[in-house]
Amino acid sequence: MSVSTTSNISPPTDLEEVVNSEVREWHFHIYFHQRNAEEHQAALELRDAVLRLRRDGAFVAVPLFRVNTDPIGPHPVGSYEIWVPSSSFSAVFSYLCLNRGNLSILVHPLTREQRKDHEVRNAWLGPSFPLDLSTLPLKSEEIPLQYPSLKLGYSSDRPDYTIEDRLRIGANVERILRGEKEAARAPSN
């Protein structure tokens, strides 16, 4: 007997539901083999580069002060985390993609479901590492807010775009793409 791993549930398409469930904060975990001096140094140099770029306004990214020189939590090797609001996700992802060297990076959203975030909602830059998910709660009552003083991510008091803004943008993109032969068309309903 085979067990299906796919779901028969259709993905949501209600605009308000999708906007209200949007991920607003992310973690990037930079991994290094803690007994490998070259990797450890490369990880620290990448951290310093991110800090300089944040200072200079390239993006908002907050590396945690602590650098773990041993496995901690679900992470099996040395690591540190970088918190990123969704407004800077693309810029930080791009930078780390192009400049990670041989380091592996775990990327995951921050939601109430920490175990799911690390297990099935994750992505890797470079080779993946096995995680010890037993250290993570299945579900938390609240979203794990970080750096609310920045008023970004879940702590923001204003949306990036209103529903009306999004409807206007979407309609404009559809209008423009009508002339593009290779672009798929949105369903009419």
Side-chain angles (χ1 to χ4, degrees):
M1 176 157 97
S2 68
V3 176
S4 174
T5 58
T6 59
S7 173
N8 292 331
I9 300 171
S10 295
T13 57
D14 177 74
L15 182 59
E16 274 193 70
E17 177 187 350
V18 169
V19 168
N20 290 334
S21 66
E22 194 172 281
V23 173
R24 302 199 190 284
E25 298 181 14
W26 297 82
H27 272 175
F28 291 80
H29 294 274
I30 315 308
Y31 282 15
F32 58 92
H33 291 96
Q34 61 271 19
R35 311 236 188 296
N36 181 321
E38 190 176 303
E39 277 188 21
H40 190 174
Q41 185 61 35
L44 294 176
E45 287 174 9
L46 182 60
R47 184 176 184 270
D48 285 348
V50 167
L51 287 166
R52 279 189 210 93
L53 289 164
R54 180 190 72 201
R55 176 199 63 206
D56 295 343
F59 41 66
V60 176
V62 183
L64 191 64
F65 178 75
R66 181 182 70 242
V67 174
N68 303 309
T69 55
D70 287 307
I72 188 168
H75 310 292
V77 294
S79 67
Y80 60 87
E81 79 181 31
I82 301 174
W83 172 88
V84 176
S86 59
S87 57
S88 286
F89 180 86
S90 177
V92 173
F93 187 89
S94 175
Y95 181 77
L96 293 175
C97 238
L98 297 173
N99 297 288
R100 69 176 181 81
N102 292 323
L103 301 171
S104 287
I105 301 174
L106 166 65
V107 183
H108 69 82
L110 290 178
T111 74
R112 290 179 175 89
E113 299 172 301
Q114 292 179 45
R115 190 174 296 185
K116 202 174 207 180
D117 292 346
H118 285 77
E119 182 178 25
V120 295
R121 296 175 176 156
N122 65 8
W124 288 88
L125 299 174
S128 64
F129 281 71
L131 303 178
D132 179 4
L133 299 170
S134 69
T135 65
L136 297 173
L138 288 176
K139 193 164 189 170
S140 302
E141 288 299 313
E142 296 182 18
I143 291 174
L145 296 179
Q146 288 187 279
Y147 312 106
S149 58
L150 292 174
K151 299 212 180 294
L152 296 170
Y154 294 112
S155 301
S156 176
D157 54 4
R158 60 180 173 78
D160 293 334
Y161 297 102
T162 66
I163 295 294
E164 293 75 24
D165 292 339
R166 289 172 187 258
L167 286 167
R168 258 191 314 280
I169 291 167
N172 192 44
V173 167
E174 288 302 310
R175 183 186 57 72
I176 292 168
L177 289 178
R178 270 189 248 143
E180 296 287 338
K181 289 184 227 172
E182 298 295 320
R185 305 294 180 263
S188 58
N189 58 354

